[in-house]
């Protein structure tokens, strides 16, 4: 009985240790990708992000959202507009949280001629802009596009 108890305790302890080690590695990987984005290396960050956050990864909702935000920022920075537009179709609400990415998305939506999606995205940012000159440029471009 003592041996069984000892094995059970060691088994649980091993599981807890592994769980903590995996979470620590995830944090380091996330921070590394975020640092690459901060340095303007969106393509390099995307390599890390896409290796780590694939659909087969088991993550809680908070981790999944954090990785999605990082991926969207990397797409915007790297100029990967088609991927950015696909993410917008899947997770439009997420773009209401990242102004710089929303600005890149807005430009992409105008270039694609998707004025309805642009209007929806832009409406969500009215009154919350922290970069008014950039939004003014985008608004002028929208008016030019509409004719």
């Amino acid at each position: 009985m003592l041996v069984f108890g000892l094995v059970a305790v060691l088994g649980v302890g091993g599981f807890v240790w592994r769980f903590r080690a995996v979470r620590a590695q995830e944090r380091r990987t996330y921070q590394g990708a975020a640092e690459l984005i901060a340095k303007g290396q969106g393509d390099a960050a995307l390599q890390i992000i896409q290796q780590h956050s694939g659909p087969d990864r088991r993550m809680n909702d908070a981790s999944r959202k954090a990785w999605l935000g990082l991926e969207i920022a990397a797409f915007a920075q790297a100029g990967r507009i088609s991927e950015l537009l696909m993410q917008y179709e899947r997770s439009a609400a997420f773009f209401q949280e990242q102004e710089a990415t929303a600005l890149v998305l807005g430009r992409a939506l105008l270039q694609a001629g998707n004025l309805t999606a642009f209007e929806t995205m832009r409406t969500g940012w009215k009154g919350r802009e922290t970069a008014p000159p950039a939004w003014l440029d985008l608004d002028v471009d929208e008016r030019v596009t509409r004719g």
Side-chain angles (χ1 to χ4, degrees):
M1 192 61 115
L2 180 64
V3 172
F4 179 72
L6 186 59
V7 169
V9 168
L10 290 177
V12 170
F15 176 77
V16 170
W17 175 84
R18 179 171 162 32
F19 178 75
R20 287 183 180 162
V22 167
R23 290 208 43 209
Q25 178 60 38
E26 180 180 331
R27 275 193 303 275
R28 284 191 301 274
T29 303
Y30 182 90
Q31 289 170 344
E35 287 171 11
L36 287 171
I37 291 171
K39 292 177 184 175
Q41 299 174 358
D43 282 321
L46 278 170
Q47 291 177 353
I48 293 170
I49 293 165
Q50 291 172 340
Q51 286 175 354
H52 182 80
S53 64
D56 58 329
R57 293 283 182 156
R58 291 175 32 197
M59 286 187 227
N60 63 34
D61 285 342
S63 289
R64 191 168 308 285
K65 283 181 182 180
W67 282 99
L68 176 61
L70 208 58
E71 184 175 42
I72 288 170
F75 281 148
Q77 188 181 79
R80 308 256 305 259
I81 302 304
S82 61
E83 289 97 334
L84 192 64
L85 290 171
M86 285 191 303
Q87 281 294 355
Y88 179 69
E89 289 174 12
R90 287 185 219 136
S91 309
F94 200 86
F95 286 80
Q96 295 302 321
E97 300 171 19
Q98 296 186 23
E99 186 173 25
T101 303
L103 286 162
V104 173
L105 173 70
R107 178 91 35 225
L109 290 170
L110 288 176
Q111 289 173 352
N114 192 341
L115 298 176
T116 303
F118 174 85
E119 195 172 302
T120 301
M121 184 275 305
R122 181 65 182 104
T123 299
W125 277 98
K126 292 223 186 243
R128 299 187 309 127
E129 303 95 335
T130 62
W135 287 105
L136 178 62
D137 287 345
L138 203 57
D139 290 341
V140 168
D141 289 345
E142 177 204 8
R143 288 184 180 93
V144 169
T145 300
R146 288 188 188 275

